[in-house]
Amino acid sequence: MPETAPRADRPADRLRDRTSGTRYGNRPTMKDVAARAGVGLKTVSRVVNGEPGVTPDTERRVQEAIEALGFRRNDSARVLRKGRTASIGLILEDLADPFYGPLSRAVEEVARAHGALLINGSSAEDPDREQELALALCARRVDGLVVIPAGDDHRYLEPEIRAGVATVFVDRPAGRIEADVVLSDNFGGARDGVAHLIAHGHRRIGFIGDMPRIHTAAERLRGYRAAMEDAGIAVADSWMSLGVTDPERVRRAAEAMLTGPEPVTAVFAGNNRVTVTVIRVLAGLSRQVALVGFDDIELADLLQPGVTVVAQDAAALGRTAAERLFRQLDGTHLTPERIELPTRLVTRGSGELPPSD
Amino acid sequence: MPETAPRADRPADRLRDRTSGTRYGNRPTMKDVAARAGVGLKTVSRVVNGEPGVTPDTERRVQEAIEALGFRRNDSARVLRKGRTASIGLILEDLADPFYGPLSRAVEEVARAHGALLINGSSAEDPDREQELALALCARRVDGLVVIPAGDDHRYLEPEIRAGVATVFVDRPAGRIEADVVLSDNFGGARDGVAHLIAHGHRRIGFIGDMPRIHTAAERLRGYRAAMEDAGIAVADSWMSLGVTDPERVRRAAEAMLTGPEPVTAVFAGNNRVTVTVIRVLAGLSRQVALVGFDDIELADLLQPGVTVVAQDAAALGRTAAERLFRQLDGTHLTPERIELPTRLVTRGSGELPPSD
DNA sequence: TAGAACCTGGACAACGTTGTCATGCGCGCG
DNA sequence: CGCGCGCATGACAACGTTGTCCAGGTTCTA
């Protein structure tokens, strides 16, 4: 039986040893298992994949060989052959942002329920890096992509989508292509949050938010303006700070609107990072200033006063997006849809403070 | 030129259409690009991989064909051929735990610096799921694994490690196998934290921690005992609560040790989740109880009083582990090592309160 | 008891890429 | 003018798996 010769004697193996970095023994393949079990290659494949048509006795022999050799199926080869990878990609902007933890987890749960693996990477808010990552994942032939976009032009994904890569955008819509997107009701949430402050007697309300080129920031700003307009309040330019996120500049912006000629009596913070910084600023003040923040923050209830927020359900965003992705993968072509999830106003004290002037 | 016939006419393509789920056009391959550019297959490969030996003119023709067809290299096939995947896996226990955000991010940064992709999944503290995930990643032929273990028996990884999969454990050591591990100094951190309380006059100090079968929990408990022993304080059983983590039971445990016959004047919380719950309990009390927690928590400085913690550097844990992983991948075989990172006591007020009895 | 139906097992090609090696061309130099 | 050398290019096999199809053997039925 000359086929049972050790692998290292075959020319291809010596070759591999030279070119690739595999350091220890080469991994056994189905061929090796077959040789050891004294069966054909395809029979091993059948056992590994639980396909029918193998005698219990043969199966046992194969299993023993697998065990003895420490064989593990090479999924790269499998993917190459089958075309589908049973894995999906998730691209988010910052793994360390607590907002994305539950989102990412929810996506993973759904993927797992569908027998798929989740591969994720973060774009660090850099559109180029987002594109690089997305295309790298496509090269790996992920079946689908969940993208929290950093850029605003996603035409680079067109060939991929056409080739069958399911794609869902979350948190912000895709730029310049038609695609599914799952969003929070940023406009409505912000409008309700600001209306809440107005209902508690505030008229001069500040807004600190991210750059309006970011969709969520623009929508929240729009919500702020809408609430003010609904109440017949004219907004002073000095009450708004757009495009600042780093703590130091947020601090200065907050201090400016608190001490100007028309000092605000309440602040609406456009995202969780801004909220945290504003809390620090307000903590150093003698007078009380009301605060409502967009996005929940941990321990918000333990602060004095508790922080009133417009909470989005990050887990629901992720779950909805992932489920939509798998619906794309299961069925026929769906027309791109925009799904908007409601936000929830959580009152904890800071948003119910009366004006203090 | 009969080779330019559309792909769908080749029998293999009809076959693929029937068996795999690819819905739209099939993806173009190098062969298609070659046909369109009127060059050989290998030339396309050279262009795609930036290999030398291609005339500028030829290269341009190939690039145009790539552009026109929307070609993207199939990395599965590449991996199959080359043996290495340029990707590493990270297995952690809960993506939603804020402790793992920075850790995961640090691992990703290092991977990126080495041109590798990060694939991650969470075990949800379930040893079986950890194993399942780890083996799935190995089947994908990741080059290496960073594991935050949930289980305590990792012999299932032996064949993989022998086959050349680099492996580093983080936060907790591997069970029953020799492997690299990167840890925080849980023992020293806890001992210092408790000693800090003792230095501020406390004698009756409570400890609430996770199950001692978890390595970190056991080490922290050991640190607590060591500090108490060093100070010559005999520990009453009623001061210790081991193995509780869910908020309700932590609450009851805290209340019990605060109201017993020998009520504690200070509490050492064994992890961030316990700390948060204890803060809530203490907030409802009239008398002041000192608190030191293991793990930092966000906004800890904004609470009244600020929360004193023993902080671990999650990012450094991740970075160190990932760098060790790539050193394994680069070089020759390294002997397994145990790397311990220092913790840092962050005083914010709650740990400096005097005993109030 | 012959033939059919069935079951198990294996040979083979194909998935898309890359490493090796061979070919053919143009050019410089003896 | 011819020889060889370097360079661009392409043919081909191999990576490890799975789908197809066929062979050989067993069991059941007429």
Side-chain angles (χ1 to χ4, degrees):
Chain A
M1 213 188 261
E3 274 309 294
T4 7
R7 304 192 77 229
D9 286 341
R10 301 200 321 249
D13 294 325
R14 262 181 281 120
L15 172 65
R16 179 137 66 103
D17 282 346
R18 233 184 318 128
T19 58
S20 87
T22 317
R23 293 168 305 158
Y24 295 119
N26 287 317
R27 272 177 177 279
T29 69
M30 284 191 178
K31 198 168 161 186
D32 302 317
V33 175
R36 172 154 188 146
V39 302
L41 178 56
K42 180 64 205 196
T43 302
V44 176
S45 173
R46 276 193 265 262
V47 171
V48 169
N49 294 295
E51 289 170 29
V54 181
T55 334
D57 181 57
T58 309
E59 169 157 6
R60 194 185 40 74
R61 284 216 317 286
V62 172
Q63 286 292 8
E64 279 172 13
I66 289 177
E67 201 77 14
L69 295 173
F71 166 81
R72 180 125 15 245
R73 180 179 63 197
N74 184 331
D75 273 357
S76 297
R78 175 168 223 252
V79 160
L80 178 58
R81 187 60 230 254
K82 303 203 70 151
R84 288 267 148 145
T85 60
S87 61
I88 66 172
L90 169 63
I91 299 178
L92 28 76
E93 47 150 315
D94 184 1
L95 268 167
D97 185 327
F99 176 68
Y100 295 112
L103 194 156
S104 163
R105 190 205 170 100
V107 173
E108 200 207 353
E109 290 298 337
V110 176
R112 184 179 157 76
H114 288 259
L117 214 55
L118 178 67
I119 306 185
N120 59 14
S122 50
S123 64
E125 280 284 3
D126 176 354
D128 291 337
R129 189 155 158 187
E130 173 207 302
Q131 173 169 350
E132 184 195 323
L133 249 171
L135 293 182
L137 292 175
C138 289
R140 293 294 174 100
R141 294 294 186 271
V142 292
D143 296 339
L145 281 178
V146 176
V147 183
I148 297 169
D152 49 9
D153 184 352
H154 297 92
R155 280 174 299 175
Y156 69 87
L157 277 175
E158 257 171 356
E160 312 301 328
I161 293 174
R162 223 175 314 127
V165 178
T167 311
V168 178
F169 289 78
V170 189
D171 194 40
R172 308 168 191 172
R176 315 188 66 170
I177 61 169
E178 291 285 305
D180 280 323
V181 53
V182 181
L183 302 165
S184 279
D185 180 10
N186 290 288
F187 168 75
R191 190 194 49 201
D192 294 352
V194 174
H196 181 73
L197 289 168
I198 294 172
H200 281 80
H202 295 273
R203 310 278 300 168
R204 300 195 305 277
I205 302 172
F207 178 92
I208 306 181
D210 219 323
M211 287 162 295
R213 73 164 178 80
I214 299 177
H215 175 263
T216 51
E219 284 293 292
R220 293 170 197 177
L221 174 60
R222 202 163 66 80
Y224 164 79
R225 286 186 187 280
M228 296 296 268
E229 190 172 334
D230 286 352
I233 305 171
V235 175
D237 280 349
S238 64
W239 297 348
M240 288 184 302
S241 161
L242 309 178
V244 300
T245 40
D246 68 294
E248 189 41 47
R249 291 178 59 202
V250 169
R251 168 180 295 274
R252 283 208 298 273
E255 281 164 356
M257 65 181 63
L258 286 164
T259 57
E262 293 186 289
V264 301
T265 62
V267 175
F268 187 84
N271 65 46
N272 52 1
R273 284 163 302 177
V274 169
T275 306
V276 170
T277 307
V278 172
I279 292 170
R280 287 184 212 279
V281 172
L282 299 188
L285 247 53
S286 53
R287 71 191 170 104
Q288 291 223 308
V289 174
L291 169 67
V292 173
F294 207 109
D295 283 346
D296 207 351
I297 53 181
E298 226 198 347
L299 298 187
D301 57 324
L302 285 178
L303 296 173
Q304 288 301 335
V307 184
T308 295
V309 298
V310 178
Q312 7 180 7
D313 191 341
L317 281 174
R319 200 182 325 114
T320 309
E323 275 161 3
R324 177 84 190 170
L325 191 83
F326 282 102
R327 210 160 336 126
Q328 280 186 33
L329 283 172
D330 288 345
T332 48
H333 184 58
L334 306 168
T335 54
E337 206 174 299
R338 176 198 185 96
I339 303 173
E340 211 161 74
L341 267 47
T343 58
R344 199 165 42 92
L345 184 72
V346 184
T347 59
R348 296 201 182 101
S350 77
E352 294 75 50
L353 296 173
S356 73
D357 59 346
Chain B
M1 214 188 264
E3 274 310 293
T4 8
R7 304 193 76 229
D9 287 339
R10 300 200 321 252
D13 296 324
R14 263 180 281 119
L15 172 65
R16 178 138 66 102
D17 282 345
R18 234 182 320 125
T19 56
S20 87
T22 317
R23 294 168 305 160
Y24 296 117
N26 287 316
R27 272 178 178 276
T29 70
M30 284 192 178
K31 198 167 161 188
D32 302 318
V33 175
R36 171 152 187 148
V39 301
L41 178 55
K42 180 65 206 193
T43 302
V44 177
S45 173
R46 274 193 266 264
V47 171
V48 169
N49 293 296
E51 288 170 30
V54 180
T55 330
D57 180 58
T58 309
E59 168 156 7
R60 193 185 39 73
R61 284 215 318 285
V62 171
Q63 286 292 8
E64 280 172 12
I66 289 177
E67 201 78 13
L69 296 173
F71 166 80
R72 180 126 15 245
R73 181 179 62 198
N74 184 330
D75 274 355
S76 296
R78 176 168 223 253
V79 161
L80 177 59
R81 189 58 231 254
K82 303 204 71 151
R84 289 265 147 149
T85 60
S87 61
I88 66 171
L90 169 63
I91 299 177
L92 26 76
E93 47 150 312
D94 183 2
L95 267 167
D97 185 327
F99 177 69
Y100 295 111
L103 195 156
S104 161
R105 191 204 170 101
V107 172
E108 200 207 355
E109 290 297 337
V110 176
R112 185 180 157 75
H114 284 81
L117 214 56
L118 178 67
I119 306 184
N120 59 17
S122 49
S123 64
E125 281 283 3
D126 176 352
D128 291 338
R129 188 154 159 189
E130 174 207 302
Q131 172 168 351
E132 182 195 326
L133 249 172
L135 293 182
L137 292 175
C138 289
R140 294 294 172 103
R141 293 294 186 269
V142 292
D143 297 339
L145 280 179
V146 175
V147 183
I148 297 170
D152 50 9
D153 184 352
H154 297 92
R155 280 174 298 176
Y156 69 87
L157 277 175
E158 260 172 353
E160 312 301 329
I161 293 174
R162 221 174 316 125
V165 178
T167 311
V168 179
F169 288 78
V170 189
D171 194 40
R172 308 171 192 170
R176 315 189 67 170
I177 62 169
E178 290 285 305
D180 281 323
V181 54
V182 181
L183 302 165
S184 278
D185 180 10
N186 291 288
F187 169 75
R191 190 193 48 202
D192 295 352
V194 174
H196 182 73
L197 289 168
I198 295 172
H200 281 82
H202 296 273
R203 310 277 302 169
R204 301 196 304 277
I205 302 174
F207 178 93
I208 306 181
D210 219 323
M211 287 162 294
R213 72 163 180 81
I214 299 178
H215 175 263
T216 51
E219 285 292 291
R220 293 171 195 176
L221 175 60
R222 201 162 66 80
Y224 164 78
R225 285 187 187 282
M228 297 296 267
E229 189 170 337
D230 287 352
I233 304 171
V235 175
D237 279 349
S238 64
W239 298 349
M240 288 185 302
S241 161
L242 309 177
V244 299
T245 41
D246 68 294
E248 191 40 50
R249 291 177 59 201
V250 168
R251 169 180 295 274
R252 281 206 300 271
E255 282 165 356
M257 63 181 64
L258 286 165
T259 56
E262 294 185 287
V264 300
T265 63
V267 175
F268 186 85
N271 65 45
N272 52 2
R273 283 163 303 177
V274 170
T275 306
V276 169
T277 307
V278 172
I279 291 170
R280 288 185 211 277
V281 172
L282 299 188
L285 247 53
S286 53
R287 69 189 170 108
Q288 291 223 309
V289 174
L291 169 68
V292 172
F294 207 109
D295 285 346
D296 206 352
I297 52 181
E298 226 197 348
L299 299 186
D301 57 324
L302 285 179
L303 298 173
Q304 287 302 333
V307 184
T308 295
V309 298
V310 177
Q312 10 180 5
D313 190 342
L317 280 174
R319 201 181 324 114
T320 309
E323 274 160 3
R324 177 83 190 172
L325 190 82
F326 283 103
R327 210 159 335 125
Q328 279 186 33
L329 284 172
D330 289 345
T332 48
H333 184 58
L334 306 168
T335 53
E337 207 173 297
R338 176 196 185 98
I339 302 173
E340 211 161 73
L341 267 46
T343 57
R344 199 165 43 91
L345 185 72
V346 184
T347 58
R348 298 202 181 100
S350 77
E352 295 75 50
L353 296 173
S356 73
D357 60 344

